[in-house]
Amino acid sequence: MPRRFLSRFSRDETGATAIEYGLIVGLIFLVIIGALGAFGATGSGVFNTAMEALRTAMAGQPAPA
């Protein structure tokens, strides 16, 4: 009984594709988290500068140089 189960289990590849896709998604997630950590402060500065320019433009004041 156990020998037959192990033999059948070793030949079964039905879940291999799902596991591979899961590993790929996990790797992409780690890359995104790493990029956000590395460039997060820079992106925040760019966003804040753009928002400040929009605020001054909407208020009718000249944009700071």
Side-chain angles (χ1 to χ4, degrees):
M1 171 77 174
R3 181 173 273 167
R4 198 169 35 155
F5 172 75
L6 291 175
S7 175
R8 190 176 65 215
F9 182 74
S10 67
R11 289 189 311 252
D12 187 17
E13 296 182 8
T14 56
T17 303
I19 292 172
E20 291 168 356
Y21 282 131
L23 290 172
I24 291 170
V25 168
L27 181 61
I28 291 171
F29 177 75
L30 290 176
V31 169
I32 290 172
I33 294 298
L36 288 176
F39 301 112
T42 304
S44 176
V46 170
F47 179 74
N48 288 337
T49 303
M51 287 304 296
E52 189 60 36
L54 286 172
R55 282 191 194 109
T56 55
M58 289 173 64
Q61 301 171 357

